Structure formats: C-alpha cells, structure tokens
Amino acid sequence: MLLTEVEPSVNPLMPATYRVVARRVETDDVVTLSLEPTSGPSLLFRPGQFNMLTAFGVGEVAISISSAPGAPGPMEQTVRDVGAVTHALCTAKVGSTVGVRGPFGTDWGVDELDDSEVVIVAGGIGLAPLRGAISYLVDKPGRTGQVYVLVGSREPDQITFPDDLERWERDGAVVKVTVDNGDAHWHGAIGVVTTLLPTISFDPARTVALVCGPEIMMRFTVRGLADLGVPLGSIRVSLERNMQCGVGWCGHCQLGPLLICRDGPVFAYSEQLERLISERER
Amino acid sequence: MLSHMDLSASLIVDRAGLDGLLGALAARGYRTIGPVVRDGAVVQRQVSSTGDLPQGWHDEQAPGHYRLHHDDDSSLFAWAVGPESPKSEFYPARSLVWRTSSTGDVVTLEQPQQESAPAALIGSRPCELAAMRVLDRVFAGGEIPDPCYRDRREGSFVVVAECGTPAATCFCTSMGTGPGVEDGYDLALTELTSPDGPRYLVRVGSARGAEVIAEMGGSPAQPADFASRDAVLENAARRIERKLDAGNVRQLLASNLEHPRWDDVASRCLACGNCTLVCPTCFCGAVSDTTTVDGAVERHRRWDTCFDLAHSLVHTGPVRATTWSRYRQWLTHKLSTWHDQFGTSGCVGCGRCIAWCPVGIDITVEVAAIAASDGAVPVHIESGGDRS
C-alpha cells in the first residue's frame, strides 16, 4: 500500500468525470458512492484528504474520501444529505456522472504510526473521513500499536458503517460505540463519546489520537484525552468550513490565520488551535 | 533620492512620447488598458491614444465621497485612484471556468480559451503595483498556482504612473507602497509640470521595458528631471495626512478580538461588501453553476465578499451570522491574519474602502480607535449566579 505523492493537475479547478458504480445507503440521510474515473486511473490520495464533488447542474461541495488508499475496489465518498448539492449527490443514480477534483488538504498521517497506539474518536458522520485511516491501520502488516475506535452517534439508526465496525473488531481493533439516545433495541452504551475514553486503557505517552466530529465534540474529546495524559500535539483533528476551491484561492475556509483547505483539514492540536475554534463568533 | 536605475536609460518625453508608447505596446499585441472617465469616475478601459486619458480631470475623495471635477490644465494623471484596480484584469469579476457538452450519458468538460491579447496596464499607481504583488502571493505564490491568474499576470506589461496628486483618503506612506516606486514595473512614468505642458520622466524597470522605451522618442533624462521627480513625490507624500500604524496593527488586532469598537463599527456597517469589491487585494471568490437552455452546465467563478452571509455557510448555518463577526473577519484578515496566510499585509493604503463605503467607515479610524483603548473588553452584565 504505497501512498504516492500526488501531482496537482494543470488547472485544479477542472473536475475529472467519474462514474457512480455503486450507491450504498448508510442511514436515512447518509449515502456512500463508489466512484470510478470515466477514463484513466483513479486518483491517489491519503486518508483524511478530501475531494470537491460536482453534481452537474447543481453545484460543488467538499467531501472527504471514506475509503482506504490502495484498498481493492473503487474510491468511496460518503455524503450526508444536508443541502442542494449533497442531496443531488445522495440521490445520484448508479451509472450517472459526477465531477471530482482533488485530492486536497492534509491527511491523518497514518503511515507514521506503526509503533503508536492510535485512539480514533468519531462523532456522527465524522467517522467517514476516519474510515480509510482505520482500515489502513487495521490492515497494515507489521504494525504493533493497538487501534481503538470510539464512535458516538445520536441514535442507534444513525450509526454509520456497522459492517466496518464489526470487521475492524474482528481484525484486532478495540471498537466501542455509544449513542446519545437509545431505543428499545439498543443494548450498548448511552452517553456522549467522551464517556468511552475511560473505558479503554492505552499508554498516553505513545498514543496518537485522530478525532473528527462536530467542533464542540472535538473540543471535549481533546480535553478528555489531555486529562488522560495524551499530549496536545499528539492529537489530530479535522476541521470543516465552507470551501469553494480546495486550493487556497477562494477565501471561504478561513479560520483566523488558517486556510482550512490548504493548512488542513487535519491539524495537530495546539493551544492556538483551541483558541481559534473557541473564538466567539456572533 | 535619485533612482538607482541607470540614468542614461531614462527618458524625458512629452505627450507625443506617451502616444508613441501606446502605439509600441499595441504593435506588440498588447491590449492597452488605461484610465478613462466614465459615469463620473476614473475607470479602466482599453485606450488607443492619450486622447482617451483623463486630461484635466481631478478627484476629490473623503469617507463615503468620490467626485470628479474638470480643469483646463493638460495633466493626464492628476487624480489618485478610481473604484477599479488591476485586480479585474488578472482576476476578472466573473469568468467561465468550464462548460459541459453531453452526448448521451457521456459528460465532457470544456475549458474556455484565455483571452487573445495580454494586457498592458497604463498608469497603474504604485499602490496598485503593490496590490498586484499581494495577489501574486495569493494566486501564484502557493503550492498550487492559479494558471488563469498567472498567465494573465505574467503576460502583462505594467506602466506605472507615480502619484503626484494623492487623495485625502490615501495612506500609502503608512503602508510603504507609495507615492513613488522603485521596482516591479516595466516602465514608470512621473508626470512633471512645465510651462509647455506636462512632461514625463520614463524609467525602465525590466528588459521588456528597455525594448519599448527605445521606440518612444524623447531625450535622455537629466539630473534636473530626477530632482523634479523628487519634488513631485515629496510634495505628494507631504499631502498624505491619513496614517495607519502598520508596524503595530497585526498584533493589535490579533489581541483585541473582543474590543468594544467591533460593536460600534458593526452598528454602522451595512455589510454591503463595497469595500471588498473596490479593494485591489480582496480575493475571495465563489463558484456558481448554471444550466443553459441547451442543457449544458456552466460553472462561473466570480468575486465574493466576506460580508455576505453565505460566505461562511456550512450545513449548520453561517459561521459568521452577524455584521459584527463579518466586519471583524474583514479587518482582522486584511491587516493581521493576511500576514500569517501570505507573509504580507493585505492592505496597500489606497483608501478605496474609505471613499466607497456608503456610510464612510474609515479603516484608519477604526484601527486608531482600537489602539486608543488597546485591551478594552465589553462590559457584560451577568444574570444569575456564579459561572465557572
């Protein structure tokens, strides 16, 4: 599984055309599309990077890649239906054409984590950009560090990738899931995802944490991890803002000094980042 | 302050020499874009002779105020800056990114050809040249350059006109961007007055400029001509009264994100975005897709403004929902976080945002107000008991 550096295309605003070769419904508002280029090889990416997906005639939106690099089968992108473009993508028919630009941004850096224990904390759809990283870590031969996957979901039927969760556990990861609100069929944990942190035992000094979810969830998760002794610099988070170019020209994804598409979306946590995402907007 | 450029390469020309310049540039295939008066403002249009230039026109600018008046003099460059800037040449306000053509189920994307002729900008101001260099960092200085911007910019020819008549809104002397300029141009003009009408000191800033100046006629510039230039620039600098503490402002704004002045300015700001549209460095852009009557899809890129509610929209809503947040974003970006992102200030001191603000908000006054009570925080009246 070689992660190759990606050469930028001549004009990064020009999408390549990809065919929707499979469409899998994950939850009532989340769909995973399998995409293959209409010509030439599929793009090379690192887990945590994102693409700009075009629903022709509707618009373009930033979506993280949810499959693992080098995995068999087409590239996958998981989309939550929250607006006009994501609705068009979620309802794209198998055989239809979408536009793909990318990959853009920083990645989780999973190829540097062979000896680290890796604590992965996902909130809701935040599991999608982590899914490729988890599969990569679980499948990589010769890794020694344990992989922990902690998932928080609002309700049991909002849990994404249940087959993957089972598969990762079968292949050696520690997988725990909690929901905010249970139902009659739910026998698992109830509570926010940070309540899972004390239930796993890991060596904080040799742990790297990968966190993705709503910003408030990430802030509390970072606090929980720090309380357990994980250094801030060993915690990586993925941030989201409006993005319209992916290459640092459009100005939409600014967060103070940062351009999320260029400097992120994956950032090593720091006190400065804490201040930036805690800064009050009105 | 004699120029470091080779004196012998510099010329003194009259107006006929400028016409020779326009002809030489046109003969080289450039679109010659210069200042013309339209609808009561100096704007940029294609020019073919000095007869198109704003002879005798002068501008009067103040917060929320821009007016032209005409005199009988034969000056061509005795105005400061208009609402347009070179930004629109290299980064058009609206441009086609791609268009689809579909055959059955196959979608093909076509990229438009670049415009045929590169631009020769006539009479750009030193502050505008500084703005081009800021945009060069944004669009062409990063890991992934914008090929459309880069091609237009690299192909261009820049004839700067140094500034002898700054407006009351100008503060280039604070930002170190004017009224004179020493490099970064192909040719630089300084309009000098003489009893026989204006004469122009022409200095060379590039190899291309040296080729073109050879076709301009005129006579070699003398030390006295450089002394006249110095006098023009010193007089211009003396007339600039607006100030901004450029050395301090980056840290000042970064450490005053809760300053009560943000409430004050938010109560006046209309969030109209005029300041960002006239700004020669504001680069935010949006894309929009449309479907044509024949079923093709087109994507256009257009200027956007951080004052628009949709600028920060994510699925949970806008990140910056109020004018308070959006004005703070604009000012802190322009003067503070721009340094972090691109290694330079985003402000060149041209004063356009002051003149074209419909309610006359003055960037220099806002900064000074924050500096005057550095560290102030709004008074919050807490209700209820202790919160920790």
Side-chain angles (χ1 to χ4, degrees):
Chain A
M1 278 190 288
L2 183 67
L3 300 181
T4 316
E5 286 296 337
V6 178
E7 294 204 0
S9 63
V10 177
N11 184 348
L13 295 188
M14 289 298 291
T17 50
Y18 275 62
R19 183 88 58 207
V20 178
V21 294
R23 175 180 177 274
R24 188 172 65 243
V25 175
E26 304 287 353
T27 72
D28 61 351
D29 63 353
V30 176
V31 164
T32 296
L33 301 177
S34 300
L35 303 174
E36 277 180 355
T38 53
S39 65
S42 194
L43 56 83
L44 298 167
F45 63 91
R46 294 162 173 270
Q49 290 190 296
F50 67 94
N51 284 326
M52 298 296 294
L53 297 189
T54 292
F56 287 107
V58 186
E60 191 179 47
V61 67
I63 301 289
S64 52
I65 302 164
S66 58
S67 54
M75 175 175 73
E76 294 183 334
Q77 306 231 219
T78 301
V79 186
R80 185 160 157 232
D81 182 350
V82 291
V85 182
T86 51
H87 180 73
L89 289 170
C90 281
T91 53
K93 291 186 168 56
V94 171
S96 64
T97 305
V98 297
V100 177
R101 297 194 294 121
F104 298 124
T106 56
D107 61 279
W108 293 112
V110 284
D111 43 351
E112 312 150 6
L113 305 180
D114 288 358
D115 304 323
S116 306
E117 296 197 290
V118 185
V119 176
I120 287 155
V121 190
I125 189 72
L127 184 55
L130 286 162
R131 178 173 173 246
I134 300 167
S135 292
Y136 178 90
L137 291 167
V138 167
D139 294 341
K140 187 173 184 185
R143 277 196 78 261
T144 55
Q146 180 60 264
V147 176
Y148 303 87
V149 180
L150 309 182
V151 175
S153 183
R154 273 173 299 159
E155 279 145 25
D157 62 5
Q158 301 286 319
I159 296 169
T160 49
F161 311 114
D163 297 347
D164 292 298
L165 295 171
E166 278 178 31
R167 202 275 283 181
W168 294 327
E169 186 160 45
R170 209 164 50 236
D171 289 344
V174 173
V175 177
K176 302 205 172 202
V177 181
T178 179
V179 297
D180 294 348
N181 307 298
D183 61 20
H185 309 288
W186 180 252
H187 300 294
I190 291 184
V192 293
V193 72
T194 47
T195 59
L196 295 177
L197 286 172
T199 70
I200 56 173
S201 65
F202 54 92
D203 176 4
R206 52 184 288 264
T207 289
V208 168
L210 313 179
V211 185
C212 188
E215 275 178 26
I216 181 129
M217 165 265 174
M218 292 197 281
R219 279 164 55 194
F220 278 96
T221 301
V222 168
R223 199 173 295 175
L225 288 162
D227 287 347
L228 293 170
V230 181
L232 280 192
S234 300
I235 303 171
R236 299 170 192 171
V237 298
S238 182
L239 300 182
E240 182 188 14
R241 285 291 182 275
N242 185 307
M243 292 182 186
Q244 303 201 13
C245 72
V247 286
W249 310 338
C250 84
H252 286 265
C253 67
Q254 289 180 64
L255 174 62
L258 306 174
L259 293 165
I260 303 280
C261 75
R262 181 190 77 176
D263 306 321
V266 177
F267 292 93
Y269 211 79
S270 63
E271 282 175 17
Q272 188 211 15
L273 196 73
E274 167 88 26
R275 275 197 302 277
L276 288 173
I277 63 174
S278 309
E279 182 56 51
R280 192 170 56 106
E281 293 288 356
R282 296 185 190 172
Chain B
M1 81 183 196
L2 279 185
S3 164
H4 65 277
M5 290 302 295
D6 182 6
L7 285 186
S8 63
S10 301
L11 286 186
I12 281 288
V13 302
D14 56 12
R15 184 161 162 170
L18 292 192
D19 277 308
L21 170 64
L22 291 172
L25 290 169
R28 282 173 158 73
Y30 289 105
R31 286 177 301 121
T32 44
I33 306 295
V36 301
V37 172
R38 288 282 185 285
D39 303 326
V42 175
V43 295
Q44 298 174 172
R45 294 289 185 278
Q46 191 148 3
V47 293
S48 53
S49 79
T50 56
D52 295 329
L53 301 182
Q55 181 188 326
W57 286 100
H58 310 282
D59 57 12
E60 176 190 294
Q61 302 195 44
H65 181 89
Y66 176 98
R67 295 288 184 279
L68 289 184
H69 62 270
H70 192 257
D71 285 337
D72 283 337
D73 65 282
S74 46
S75 64
L76 297 176
F77 297 102
W79 43 274
V81 288
E84 296 183 348
S85 73
K87 174 170 85 172
S88 50
E89 255 329 298
F90 305 131
Y91 169 36
R94 187 169 186 266
S95 60
L96 180 65
V97 183
W98 49 255
R99 189 176 202 277
T100 62
S101 58
S102 304
T103 318
D105 214 17
V106 180
V107 180
T108 311
L109 271 67
E110 291 161 1
Q111 209 176 336
Q113 296 296 312
Q114 288 274 12
E115 285 118 57
S116 45
L121 298 177
I122 311 299
S124 297
R125 295 305 191 184
C127 60
E128 295 180 320
L129 187 60
M132 291 181 218
R133 292 167 134 180
V134 172
L135 287 183
D136 289 348
R137 286 173 178 252
V138 173
F139 287 126
E143 213 169 299
I144 304 176
D146 176 349
C148 299
Y149 175 91
R150 193 189 48 198
D151 290 352
R152 289 190 184 101
R153 173 79 165 107
E154 283 180 354
S156 70
F157 189 100
V158 179
V159 181
V160 166
E162 291 189 306
C163 209
T165 51
T169 41
C170 293
F171 56 103
C172 63
T173 42
S174 290
M175 307 313 291
T177 59
V181 64
E182 300 302 335
D183 58 8
Y185 48 80
D186 293 299
L187 292 173
L189 309 176
T190 317
E191 189 169 63
L192 309 174
T193 51
S194 82
D196 313 322
R199 282 149 37 94
Y200 299 88
L201 174 64
V202 189
R203 292 176 299 133
V204 175
S206 73
R208 286 186 304 184
E211 280 178 38
V212 172
I213 200 174
E215 297 172 31
M216 283 180 69
S219 52
Q222 302 301 315
D225 300 317
F226 283 87
S228 299
R229 172 192 176 230
D230 290 349
V232 166
L233 297 181
E234 278 160 22
N235 182 48
R238 210 168 27 243
R239 285 171 56 179
I240 294 172
E241 291 175 358
R242 265 193 171 62
K243 286 188 173 59
L244 193 148
D245 184 356
N248 187 40
V249 68
R250 178 183 180 184
Q251 184 53 42
L252 175 78
L253 296 186
S255 57
N256 280 280
L257 294 175
E258 292 294 325
H259 197 282
R261 187 69 183 189
W262 301 119
D263 294 296
D264 185 280
V265 69
S267 72
R268 288 173 281 131
C269 175
L270 307 178
C272 68
N274 254 22
C275 50
T276 63
L277 297 180
V278 296
C279 178
T281 68
C282 268
F283 63 86
C284 280
V287 292
S288 58
D289 291 9
T290 47
T291 307
T292 63
V293 283
D294 61 354
V297 177
E298 291 182 345
R299 173 165 298 163
H300 284 89
R301 183 179 173 190
R302 60 165 176 79
W303 293 354
D304 200 4
T305 171
C306 56
F307 285 94
D308 192 293
L309 189 61
H311 186 276
S312 63
L313 189 69
V314 290
H315 73 277
T316 48
V319 173
R320 291 181 284 275
T322 63
T323 304
W324 183 93
S325 278
R326 302 208 286 281
Y327 188 88
R328 185 179 73 165
Q329 164 63 27
W330 180 70
L331 197 69
T332 54
H333 184 220
K334 186 65 59 186
L335 295 170
S336 184
T337 55
W338 207 295
H339 286 277
D340 301 291
Q341 295 170 3
F342 302 108
T344 179
S345 172
C347 179
V348 297
C350 71
R352 284 181 177 85
C353 58
I354 303 171
W356 294 93
C357 175
V359 295
I361 293 171
D362 182 337
I363 185 171
T364 66
V365 170
E366 297 313 315
V367 169
I370 291 172
S373 50
D374 186 1
V377 288
V379 178
H380 287 298
I381 298 162
E382 296 284 347
S383 58
D386 284 350
R387 288 168 56 192
S388 56

